[in-house]
Amino acid sequence: MARKILLHDKLRFLTTISGVAFAVTLVLVQAGLFVGLLDNATITIRKMNADIWVSSKNTPNIDFASPFSDSLVQRVRSIPGIQRADNLLVGFMQISLPSGAREGIMVYAMDDLARWNLPWRIIHGDVADLRRGHYFFLDESATKRFGKFKVGDYREILDQRLKIIGLTQEARSFTTTPIAFMDFQLAQFLMYQYFGGRTAYIVAKLAPGADETKVIAEMRRRLPYNDVYTKDGWATQSRDYWINSTGIGLNMYLTVFLGCLVGVVVVAQTLYTMTMEHVKEFGTVKAIGGTNADIYLILAKQATIAAVTGFTLGALLSYALRPLVSKLDLKLIIYPELVVWVFFGTLILCLAAAMLSFRKVASIDPALVFRT
């Protein structure tokens, strides 16, 4: 009976599942884009082989580093339990484009990038060659901002002529500023006023069997004017900065709320209208001995059918949008856990929307059937 009433007016049924599918798509896409942005915010932290990060005091995230003496790396290397430690320079520079325009570029620089798995996906070039001169690697995602470029091209960075000798992929920042990789000494030379004799971070690798807690405690004792983080702790710090200190988190929650509101309103309105149009049928159920619980079950089945069908269409549409989003240089990451949460959320909200009809059928008089 639930299915027959729901499918009696096919156009209305189509409108209902379209509303649910739209809401599901809105939630999945918005949440997926949000996850993609946060993935960019921490991708270098997660890809590097560093177990411990040392920054200047109160550095908010990896993009906004404050310099401190690069000689402190010797103090870190002397701590028992440290296998190796190196300086890492992360800073914004200006690059001059062939069009005459100037753009920002984020530079990651180390003495031995390969040892720390930077960059982690190279499609052309040998990162060891960065030590041989004024060279740099550039991520392919920069094409959209900088125009086409290739290995062998020259660009001016901070008015110094540098040659592109390698290309990378997947190196992206939260701010969408293109990422480049170069030798530590060259980066210090280019930004001498800011980074001369200084570094942005010290990264360290634990020796096998070393107690991370004890090593970090000793590191904090020897570096009282710096912050020390585990890999996961630093990734969380960088991610939380963008969520809590910008409006992006609120924007995501607001969009999800609006998506849920649209789905609830559409389902509630449709089920209520159907209930009003089939009052006599529900009265008949009561007249032949049915209870309110039996009618609640019918309405719950209708809400479940609308939720499952609409969710399936919305999820398929969301996955279909991923290639299109990728062409816009954006990440749409939809984790299986997110899909499960959205499914149960859709089901619960559709059942909640049916509550409006529950109240109506509870007051139906069975004698209504015997009236004209």
Side-chain angles (χ1 to χ4, degrees):
M1 183 176 177
R3 189 172 60 254
K4 285 183 178 178
I5 293 177
L6 195 61
L7 297 177
H8 177 71
D9 189 338
K10 292 183 173 55
L11 181 59
R12 182 174 293 164
F13 175 68
L14 185 61
T15 303
T16 303
I17 61 171
S18 296
V20 176
F22 172 77
V24 169
T25 303
L26 193 63
V27 172
L28 284 177
V29 170
Q30 181 67 17
L33 289 173
F34 183 68
V35 173
L37 283 173
L38 294 183
D39 184 77
N40 286 345
T42 59
I43 191 168
T44 50
I45 300 172
R46 291 182 286 106
K47 292 292 184 181
M48 284 185 69
N49 291 330
D51 297 317
I52 300 174
W53 287 69
V54 179
S55 71
S56 59
K57 277 288 183 186
N58 301 318
T59 299
N61 66 71
I62 190 170
D63 294 344
F64 301 152
S66 297
F68 57 93
S69 174
D70 60 8
S71 63
L72 291 180
V73 71
Q74 302 298 340
R75 203 177 297 181
V76 175
R77 287 170 179 164
S78 67
I79 295 174
I82 293 294
Q83 185 178 63
R84 63 175 184 266
D86 276 327
N87 289 312
L88 166 65
L89 191 152
V90 179
F92 289 96
M93 299 186 187
Q94 271 200 337
I95 182 170
S96 300
L97 305 178
S99 63
R102 285 176 175 258
E103 281 273 7
I105 190 171
M106 178 170 287
V107 171
Y108 280 72
M110 300 187 81
D111 285 331
D112 189 350
L113 285 160
R115 187 162 64 171
W116 297 94
N117 196 37
L118 276 183
W120 56 94
R121 188 167 183 180
I122 299 172
I123 58 173
H124 193 285
D126 184 351
V127 74
D129 291 335
L130 288 173
R131 301 175 183 175
R132 304 179 190 280
H134 285 200
Y135 304 138
F136 69 108
F137 275 45
L138 189 56
D139 194 81
E140 275 194 334
S141 60
T143 303
K144 189 170 184 179
R145 295 272 294 269
F146 297 168
K148 291 183 178 180
F149 56 85
K150 62 182 185 301
V151 171
D153 286 351
Y154 285 86
R155 295 289 185 272
E156 285 191 0
I157 297 180
L158 295 178
D159 299 325
Q160 295 293 320
R161 196 164 180 257
L162 273 66
K163 184 179 182 181
I164 302 173
I165 63 168
L167 302 176
T168 67
Q169 286 182 333
E170 296 184 354
R172 299 181 182 184
S173 65
F174 182 89
T175 58
T176 71
T177 302
I179 291 180
F181 301 90
M182 65 177 62
D183 181 67
F184 186 81
Q185 304 299 326
L186 175 59
Q188 276 193 325
F189 166 74
L190 292 174
M191 298 186 72
Y192 188 79
Q193 288 189 332
Y194 196 63
F195 278 111
R198 292 185 283 185
T199 185
Y201 301 99
I202 296 173
V203 291
K205 181 74 176 174
L206 289 170
D211 187 323
E212 183 180 72
T213 304
K214 290 183 179 177
V215 172
I216 288 179
E218 179 62 17
M219 201 176 286
R220 285 173 176 158
R221 190 184 70 81
R222 297 194 187 190
L223 302 171
Y225 302 107
N226 294 81
D227 285 330
V228 182
Y229 298 93
T230 62
K231 182 174 189 172
D232 290 340
W234 181 229
T236 301
Q237 162 90 2
S238 293
R239 187 167 49 242
D240 288 351
Y241 170 81
W242 295 113
I243 295 174
N244 300 324
S245 300
T246 67
I248 187 171
L250 177 62
N251 178 58
M252 195 277 290
Y253 293 130
L254 187 60
T255 305
V256 170
F257 171 75
L258 290 176
C260 294
L261 186 63
V262 169
V264 168
V265 169
V266 170
V267 174
Q269 190 271 338
T270 303
L271 292 182
Y272 185 77
T273 304
M274 286 181 177
T275 301
M276 294 299 293
E277 291 178 350
H278 295 83
V279 166
K280 285 192 176 181
E281 284 83 348
F282 290 123
T284 303
V285 172
K286 281 192 171 181
I288 62 177
T291 62
N292 281 339
D294 295 322
I295 299 177
Y296 292 164
L297 185 60
I298 293 172
L299 294 174
K301 285 183 178 177
Q302 291 177 335
T304 302
I305 292 172
V308 172
T309 308
F311 170 82
T312 303
L313 291 175
L316 290 175
L317 181 59
S318 300
Y319 278 105
L321 286 173
R322 289 204 296 184
L324 178 63
V325 172
S326 178
K327 289 182 179 178
L328 299 174
D329 280 340
L330 295 172
K331 286 183 182 176
L332 180 58
I333 300 176
I334 303 176
Y335 290 120
E337 295 85 351
L338 175 63
V339 176
V340 173
W341 276 104
V342 173
F343 171 73
F344 283 108
T346 304
L347 189 59
I348 291 170
L349 289 175
C350 285
L351 289 173
M355 290 294 292
L356 192 63
S357 300
F358 289 173
R359 295 184 58 184
K360 182 63 183 177
V361 297
S363 61
I364 292 177
D365 182 2
L368 179 69
V369 179
F370 305 105
R371 297 172 191 164
T372 56

